[in-house]
Amino acid sequence: MTLKEKLAQKVPAARERYRALSKQYGDKVIDKVTVAQVAGGMRSIKSLLTDISYLDPNEGIRFRGYTIPETLEKLPRRAGAEIPLVGGFYHLLFTGDVPTLAEAEAVEADWRGRWTVPQYVYDVIEGAGPKDTHPMTLFTLGVLAMQRESIFARRYAEKTMKREDYWEAMYEDSMTMVARLPAIAAYVYRRKYHGDTPNAPDPNLDWGSNFAHMMKNPNPEYRELMKLYFILHSDHESGNASAHTAHLVASTLSDVFYAWAGGLCALAGPLHGLANQECLDWVMKVMKHFNGVPTKDQIEKFAWDTLNSGNVIPGYGHAVLRKTDPRYTCQREFALKHCPDDPIFKTVSVVFEAVPPVLQAAGKAKNPWPNVDAHSGQLQYHYGVKEWDFYTVLFGIGRALGISANVTWDRAVGQPIERPKSITTDMLENLAKAAQ
Ligand code: CMX
């Protein structure tokens, strides 16, 4: 059974369950909203619904109920591979079922049939302006350009699609978009930093490994790293800025290309996905300043200087997490296995010892521990991808897996257009006073 057929089997029951929520429990109260939450970025208000992943503040992410170690252990991999196939992981995100190797390979084969990027997409990137244009701008333009091919947008405009069938068109667009993202990213990279074009994809390689191949990175360890990277960055429940943006855009019945172009713009912010570029930048500044791997004391001082100059320490803190991000731990384990003597890894490790006590002593950050971005740059740099303003593009490939599964399911169950309510400052003050 194909992934799409499996989904078709699961959708009717999930849709019924979703409809029953409002019918049976529509007026039940499940959360309250404080003034601090309204004034403070809606932090933690329970108001989004997804079954793809859940983020526990202390435990970290679970994909379809599985922790990161469980996910990596259960998913199928090719003979001799360290990391499972991303195609199998996508199957898990969509269905909640751990696929067989054949099912994972079927997703990979489907991607293979779609991964050729039409020339007009590259033409849009070529026409994007001066050479210093940020790679996230180029990547987002590539995603947005593909919107002209959206099956969802075309069928909707033709008025030939029933509401119950929206998810099928979203699914088709998602498969096409995800299939092509590695090639577009590799194109952006080779064009911007090397003035050439990427390798053509190799049909014998899986989707994740192919990215490494198209980047012209021959190290087999980098292929494994990239599969891991894309899995780790795929989804972090629905409230983070990029996932939420994509969900919101798609809720207007925009297609997945519009939705992910919007999400990428949110990912490009320094408090979100751009933190991975900022983080390596910070680590390299530390190393330059101390002429090599610094001591814990030296990093402590540097961290205080960063805070006292009014800046955040990138890669540390999180809006939901209250412990070390398991995505950080997983990358650390990869580094300990493959590059324990790398001086940047050594520095990242000393930062891990030095920064949390500084943030605790500073007393502002609710979570002093590292997040995913505190490690990812070190691994990229180690394997030769040294241009750190490219790193958020990598995040953008991985996160597309989660958001596309989410927006497809949004349409499958019939989630409506999103429309929270705003009030004026006067109204909020009056409500607050009345509540005293
Ligand atoms: N360095 C310095 N100060 C920090 C901090 C850090 N790493 N993390 C939080 N703080 C500060 C906040 O800026 C805030 O200060 P103000 O009260 O002066 O505004 C205060 O601590 C409280 O913030 P918080 O409730 O702990 O964290 P938020 O939910 O507001 O913000 C985040 C979360 C991630 C934006 C923040 O921790 C941060 O800026 N971290 C550095 C950037 C980063 O690593 N971002 C990547 C996050 C991962 C992802 O992309 O999802």
Side-chain angles (χ1 to χ4, degrees), residues 43 271-272 275 307 312-313 315-319 364-366 371 373:
R43 207 62 92 253
L271 295 188
H272 190 17
L307 294 180
V312 297
I313 298 174
Y316 282 74
H318 199 272
K364 278 214 296 186
K366 293 190 190 72
N371 60 57
D373 296 325

Side-chain angles (χ1 to χ4, degrees), residues 131-198:
K131 199 150 184 295
D132 61 359
T133 304
H134 196 280
M136 275 301 274
T137 310
L138 301 177
F139 186 59
T140 307
L141 284 169
V143 171
L144 191 56
M146 289 192 287
Q147 192 281 329
R148 67 174 282 280
E149 291 177 68
S150 166
I151 291 172
F152 183 91
R154 178 168 53 76
R155 286 204 199 141
Y156 190 88
E158 287 169 356
K159 312 275 180 242
T160 55
M161 190 167 49
K162 283 196 266 149
R163 209 173 158 179
E164 300 80 66
D165 300 334
Y166 285 175
W167 72 268
E168 286 189 49
M170 287 303 266
Y171 172 84
E172 291 297 333
D173 284 349
S174 294
M175 290 296 281
T176 301
M177 182 182 80
V178 167
R180 293 176 180 175
L181 292 180
I184 297 174
Y187 185 89
V188 167
Y189 179 80
R190 295 303 314 182
R191 171 190 181 270
K192 185 169 167 69
Y193 306 108
H194 298 276
D196 61 9
T197 48

Side-chain angles (χ1 to χ4, degrees), residues 45 49 64 96 147 150 171 283 298 326 360 377 382:
I45 300 172
L49 196 57
R64 289 287 189 175
Q147 192 281 329
S150 166
Y171 172 84
V283 169
Q298 286 172 323
Q360 272 161 339
H382 177 80

